[in-house]
Amino acid sequence: MLKIKKHIAEKLYANFAAVAPATGELTADDFASFLEYPPDDNFGDLAFPCFKLSKAMRMAPPMIAAKLAEGLEDDVIAKVDVVGGYLNIFISASYLAGVLMPEIMEKGEAYGSFDFGKGKNVVLDYSSPNVAKPFHIGHLGTTVIGHSLKMLHEFCGYNCIGVNHLGDWGTQFGKLIVAYRKWGSREQIEDVGIDELVALYVKFHEEAEKDEALNDAARAEFTKLEQHDEENTALWKWFIEISLKEYSRTYKQLGIEFDSYNGESFYSDKMPAVVKELKDKNLMTIDDGASIINLEAYNMPPCLILKRDGSTLYPTRDIAAALYRKKTYDFDKNIYVTSAGQSLHFAQWFKVVELMGYDWSDKLIHVPYGTVSINGSKLATRTGNVILLKDLFAESIEKVSAIMEEKNAALENKAEVAEAVGVGAIIFHYLMNSRIKDINFILEDALNFDGNTGPYAQYTYARTCSIIEKAGGVPTITPDASMVTAHSEAALLKTLSIFPEKVLAALDELEPSVITRYILDVCTAFNRFYHECQIVTADNMTTRDFRVALTSCVRSVLGKAFELICMKKTEKI
Ligand code: ARG
């Protein structure tokens, strides 16, 4: 609708400028932004609220409406109704079938893309789990929101660098080394993987409650690690390797790859320069032995740079990483996706970068999201324990397998499909809410094949594939207005026309839920068309070909939209 909006806005603006005593500050672009989607298509496909011009035109809205409506109808605008202070505008079938549809057919999955990001780099820091600590459902948000934002930026032409800023440095490694030497076994860790590391870490904390000396021992081991002690370095590398093996399984299920795994340890040798720079720029003060940056003037608690023992902290490492990324990638945006609990941390060190005099500090963007709790799953009974993402995925996949066994036992590659649908269900359900909202996740709801869910969307996608297969492929046709014979066909085309706008909105608001909800709109419009119209079985060949081609447009848009929210698609369910 972007092009149509622009077209309508220009015509409305010309009418306005011809009669308004003064145009004031208003432009044709403002007119485009005033256009609304009416709740019901009896009120047109787009509506223009004329009261917005009352001041500039010094007329009552119905009068304005009458003036603006003059000579509006053309190839694109089929009809304009003046209703009260509104102009209700109807888009022509000749535009929908003759212009929009050929565009979608030609572009396929590139329909809806933009190129304004060309030549610009965007760094996205997401997922970033802490090594040897559980990868739990709290990480679902950063992982799927982060990846979705990456896909959206790429779709708009940006060159994206996905960074998994692993939490792979800090005193926890001293603890793990002590725990491993005291209670661990190499075989057990090789066998069980990360869960065994987590268990050792937990045991360390239990024991340290009773024996304070363990903490000293852990600090000493970490110091040795910092000094590149050979044995400790080998252990540390191994812990990371074990953890990554596990993460990569989850990333594979999600279809995610990172361009860099430079985590916190990567910056350990880059910290002294940052500390020196902060000192040289007179930003640091000493408080009770620790080095801090006072942010009182900005209504924030101080940003901690060095502990009393001189060791660096989380913000120090983030500042070092930002400087490094600027130098390495010269980013246009550097995006961090984390829980809202870290908002203060980011606000603080973003301010520090600004105080350091870097004019690019406004290119640092924090994207926060709300908390997730889980209900209605056997996992939830483990209260007190964290729920691991892999367990949630496994339970979902298992349930989908059972449903599929009932519905379509003959399906080939069942395991693969069950994984795509099971994992997709979780992603979809999660990304349906605006990211900042806290959500209570109910697995049964996410898996409802008849509800507004991932499985429903995937089922719809599979339906488009099977129609095209039955039809023997996508016919080559040149669609025109005469082929649009059912209301649901036009309605479906209008829904497809909104895709580019949704892409822009999602990118602007850094909000994947815009796409998720749009997927549901497309599914609803398509399924209405499917139930109302005969497609492959239509008597008239022209009608049949037109409808199959329309189905292929839906397949392209859904396929791309799935990719944008990192949900896999399956041609058969
Ligand atoms: N490892 C951190 C955590 O799990 C998230 C890191 C986010 N990225 C960053 N550059 N601080 O909470």
Side-chain angles (χ1 to χ4, degrees), residues 389-445:
L389 199 53
K390 65 171 178 191
D391 291 343
L392 181 63
F393 283 0
E395 192 185 341
S396 182
I397 293 168
E398 197 187 305
K399 289 209 156 108
V400 168
S401 296
I403 297 171
M404 279 176 20
E405 207 54 60
E406 249 172 58
K407 290 199 172 198
N408 188 1
L411 184 68
E412 286 168 45
N413 56 1
K414 261 188 269 187
E416 206 180 302
V417 175
E419 185 177 289
V421 177
V423 173
I426 290 171
I427 298 172
F428 194 92
H429 200 59
Y430 178 74
L431 288 181
M432 217 159 69
N433 302 282
S434 44
R435 60 178 156 76
I436 202 67
K437 270 217 315 250
D438 292 339
I439 67 164
N440 184 19
F441 199 97
I442 299 173
L443 191 55
E444 276 63 31
D445 290 352

Side-chain angles (χ1 to χ4, degrees), residues 125-130 139 165-167 264 314 318 321 325 336-338 342 345-346 349:
D125 177 321
Y126 64 103
S127 199
S128 310
N130 294 325
H139 292 102
H165 186 81
L166 289 175
E264 297 192 29
Y314 187 42
D318 262 333
R325 288 178 195 169
Y336 298 84
V337 186
T338 78
Q342 297 196 32
H345 160 76
F346 285 99
W349 76 259

Side-chain angles (χ1 to χ4, degrees), residues 337-507:
V337 186
T338 78
S339 75
Q342 297 196 32
S343 294
L344 177 62
H345 160 76
F346 285 99
Q348 286 175 305
W349 76 259
F350 287 0
K351 181 51 89 179
V352 171
V353 174
E354 186 192 325
L355 294 174
M356 287 168 92
Y358 292 113
D359 60 1
W360 47 265
S361 69
D362 60 349
K363 297 182 192 270
L364 303 169
I365 301 164
H366 180 225
V367 178
Y369 60 87
T371 58
V372 187
S373 49
I374 298 240
N375 227 336
S377 149
K378 67 182 179 204
L379 299 165
T381 55
R382 296 192 201 167
T383 34
N385 267 338
V386 290
I387 293 170
L388 300 179
L389 199 53
K390 65 171 178 191
D391 291 343
L392 181 63
F393 283 0
E395 192 185 341
S396 182
I397 293 168
E398 197 187 305
K399 289 209 156 108
V400 168
S401 296
I403 297 171
M404 279 176 20
E405 207 54 60
E406 249 172 58
K407 290 199 172 198
N408 188 1
L411 184 68
E412 286 168 45
N413 56 1
K414 261 188 269 187
E416 206 180 302
V417 175
E419 185 177 289
V421 177
V423 173
I426 290 171
I427 298 172
F428 194 92
H429 200 59
Y430 178 74
L431 288 181
M432 217 159 69
N433 302 282
S434 44
R435 60 178 156 76
I436 202 67
K437 270 217 315 250
D438 292 339
I439 67 164
N440 184 19
F441 199 97
I442 299 173
L443 191 55
E444 276 63 31
D445 290 352
L447 290 175
N448 181 356
F449 274 58
D450 303 315
N452 286 335
T453 60
Y456 161 70
Q458 277 172 321
Y459 201 83
T460 306
Y461 179 83
R463 177 172 278 166
T464 64
C465 295
S466 87
I467 290 169
I468 293 162
E469 196 188 313
K470 254 189 228 136
V474 183
T476 14
I477 56 160
T478 310
D480 65 51
S482 72
M483 298 177 190
V484 183
T485 50
H487 178 80
S488 59
E489 293 166 329
L492 180 53
L493 279 166
K494 284 172 203 165
T495 306
L496 297 180
S497 77
I498 299 173
F499 186 43
E501 236 168 288
K502 295 290 178 185
V503 169
L504 284 188
L507 186 88

